[in-house]
Amino acid sequence: PERAPAARAEVLPDAGGYGDEQIYNANITRLFWKLLPGAGIAARRRPARGERVTVLLAANLTGSHKLKPLVVGGLRDPASLRHHNQEKFPACYRYSPEARLAPALLRAWFFEDFVPGVKRYLRRSCLQQKAVLLLSSAPSRSGSGAEDSPPLQTPDGSIRALFLSKGPSGSGSAGAGGRIPTPLEQGVVSAFKQLYKRELLRLAVSCGGPGGPADFVRSFLLKDMLYLAGLSWDLIPPGSIEKCWLLGLRAAFEPQPGEEEHGDPPGGEEGGGDSKVFSDLTHLAALAFKRLAPEEVSDWLHMDDGAPGTEEDDDGEEDAEEEGAEGCGAEEDEEEEAAGGKRGGEGGDPLLPTAREAIQGLETALRWLEGQDPREVGPLKLVQLRSLISMAQRL
């Protein structure tokens, strides 16, 4: 039927006709960002509050446009991110008391990061300024549907988000009328986490010193995590993401038992399959930790596989809330101390620098190095320098 020109302009963006590069998917996952394998740590099963983050990954169907990962953490003001232009980091950080992607955070990310980034990409690619973002479900703890909140779309409706189900992401099954698995769930998220943990172990091995893994964990800060998250996301080739869209469509129409939650990781040059990455992880773990069984590495690898919002995640939430501001403040104090806020004692040969002078010199070098472009100065040198500061403080 004919419509008035103004009305036709309003409904045009909703009429479909999206090209492959204009269709996006985003998915969230939980990540214990500084937890290393080992019997002592693995047995704890409940990492400290500041060690858990939620990561949002988003890309278009062809994989030609991958947005910066969004990292949501429980540290309100991480010392390692102060006085830095976070635009230069390959991942974004946002604060949430429970390290969850709350509806308000998702909305802010959509309008402040997703929409401007997509518009720039479409302009560079000479494509029409319209796109759709597919999300598995609305991030709501109350269980209310997406219709209860304002729609995620630009005023003209040209860029909008669609929720594939109304319930929580962990509820239901495609075959029972529940949620539809999103393409990134078909292995991309799993590959990202495996690549991240492989790079984390590489850093731990490279920074080996007298303090061992404990010094590394203390010296590995949230700033380094953002760098590793961006690097791991970049290592997943576009072709692997595109293949996972086909797996996602197949799962939507022909769900297979167990396929929804544990898809095969995408193949490719870097994200090239579970066996190769797991082999790398096992080898690196053997270098960092003696007598570590492959089963322990596997347990560590899948320790944070529970999606945010599931019952498993909620079980630990009470304890996190009981910690209150004191627990969160302790985490921030640890990061501030590792970033160079603690001084050593005086003493020693008068011909040699004192402990305080040595630590101050190392901290000056660290501040200078952190002021450089993070794309030119990777986390390895920074973590190594913090390890030296930690060793000097202990001595």
Side-chain angles (χ1 to χ4, degrees):
E2 291 189 7
R3 300 175 182 268
R8 187 181 300 116
E10 287 179 4
V11 301
L12 256 178
D14 297 340
Y18 297 102
D20 289 353
E21 293 181 272
Q22 296 167 310
I23 303 174
Y24 287 78
N25 174 221
N27 201 18
I28 61 176
T29 185
R30 181 176 61 179
L31 182 66
F32 298 143
W33 62 276
K34 63 189 302 184
L35 195 67
L36 293 175
I41 295 178
R44 193 172 66 184
R45 304 303 297 174
R46 193 168 285 174
R49 187 176 186 175
E51 292 180 358
R52 185 184 69 181
V53 296
T54 295
V55 181
L56 173 73
L57 302 172
N60 64 359
L61 188 151
T62 63
S64 56
H65 183 208
K66 294 188 287 187
L67 287 97
K68 285 184 179 183
L70 173 68
V71 177
V72 181
L75 298 181
R76 184 186 297 273
D77 183 25
S80 62
L81 299 183
R82 293 174 196 161
H83 315 301
H84 289 291
N85 181 6
Q86 294 190 36
E87 293 294 324
K88 294 183 178 180
F89 289 107
C92 308
Y93 179 79
R94 298 290 185 273
Y95 162 73
S96 172
E98 298 167 0
R100 286 174 175 269
L101 184 66
L105 272 181
L106 176 63
R107 189 170 190 82
W109 171 81
F110 179 82
F111 287 107
E112 296 171 12
D113 297 301
F114 180 77
V115 171
V118 168
K119 284 185 174 180
R120 284 193 299 269
Y121 172 76
L122 295 176
R123 205 161 37 240
R124 288 196 307 266
S125 304
C126 300
L127 295 170
Q128 185 180 357
Q129 292 281 301
K130 59 182 292 187
V132 61
L133 171 67
L134 304 180
L135 298 164
S136 60
S137 63
S140 174
R141 295 187 60 191
S142 63
S144 59
E147 67 274 7
D148 294 339
S149 58
L152 287 178
Q153 64 179 32
T154 54
D156 62 358
S158 60
I159 299 180
R160 57 203 298 258
L162 295 177
F163 295 100
L164 300 180
S165 68
K166 298 178 182 179
S169 60
S171 65
S173 63
R179 73 186 186 94
I180 300 173
T182 58
L184 292 191
E185 288 179 275
Q186 306 302 314
V188 175
V189 169
S190 174
F192 163 78
K193 292 168 74 170
Q194 290 187 20
L195 288 166
Y196 175 89
K197 293 186 177 184
R198 184 185 71 180
E199 299 307 311
L200 182 68
L201 273 179
R202 278 183 176 168
L203 276 179
V205 171
S206 301
C207 295
D215 267 359
F216 167 78
V217 169
R218 187 173 180 275
S219 304
F220 187 73
L221 304 180
L222 197 56
K223 176 183 177 181
D224 308 313
M225 182 272 165
L226 297 182
Y227 183 92
L228 277 197
L231 171 65
S232 305
W233 185 224
D234 287 342
L235 288 177
I236 299 178
S240 298
I241 295 176
E242 190 168 14
K243 289 176 185 176
C244 285
W245 280 81
L246 299 178
L247 290 174
L249 291 173
R250 186 189 70 187
F253 291 100
E254 301 175 4
Q256 301 295 325
E259 188 177 20
E260 292 180 20
E261 295 183 3
H262 300 288
D264 293 332
E269 295 173 4
E270 289 292 344
D274 182 61
S275 59
K276 182 184 185 306
V277 177
F278 183 73
S279 174
D280 290 344
L281 283 164
T282 306
H283 175 68
L284 289 166
L287 291 175
F289 305 91
K290 305 303 179 186
R291 296 185 222 119
L292 192 64
E295 295 77 15
E296 293 178 274
V297 178
S298 180
D299 289 344
W300 165 72
L301 189 60
H302 297 290
M303 204 172 158
D304 47 18
D305 279 355
T310 59
E311 290 181 4
E312 177 190 349
D313 196 44
D314 291 337
D315 287 341
E317 201 165 295
E318 270 185 34
D319 294 347
E321 288 173 357
E322 287 175 6
E323 282 183 29
E326 182 181 350
C328 189
E331 293 290 341
E332 295 195 22
D333 289 344
E334 286 179 12
E335 170 142 329
E336 189 160 4
E337 184 178 307
K342 184 178 179 182
R343 304 297 185 194
E346 300 286 353
D349 193 316
L351 298 178
L352 297 175
T354 64
R356 179 178 296 276
E357 289 170 345
I359 292 170
Q360 286 177 342
L362 290 170
E363 288 172 348
T364 300
L366 177 61
R367 286 196 300 273
W368 176 82
L369 206 56
E370 286 185 331
Q372 307 308 303
D373 190 335
R375 291 168 293 188
E376 297 179 4
V377 181
L380 176 58
K381 299 299 182 186
L382 298 176
V383 175
Q384 285 177 331
L385 191 48
R386 291 193 203 103
S387 294
L388 286 175
I389 294 173
S390 177
M391 181 177 65
Q393 289 170 345
R394 187 174 63 252
L395 293 176

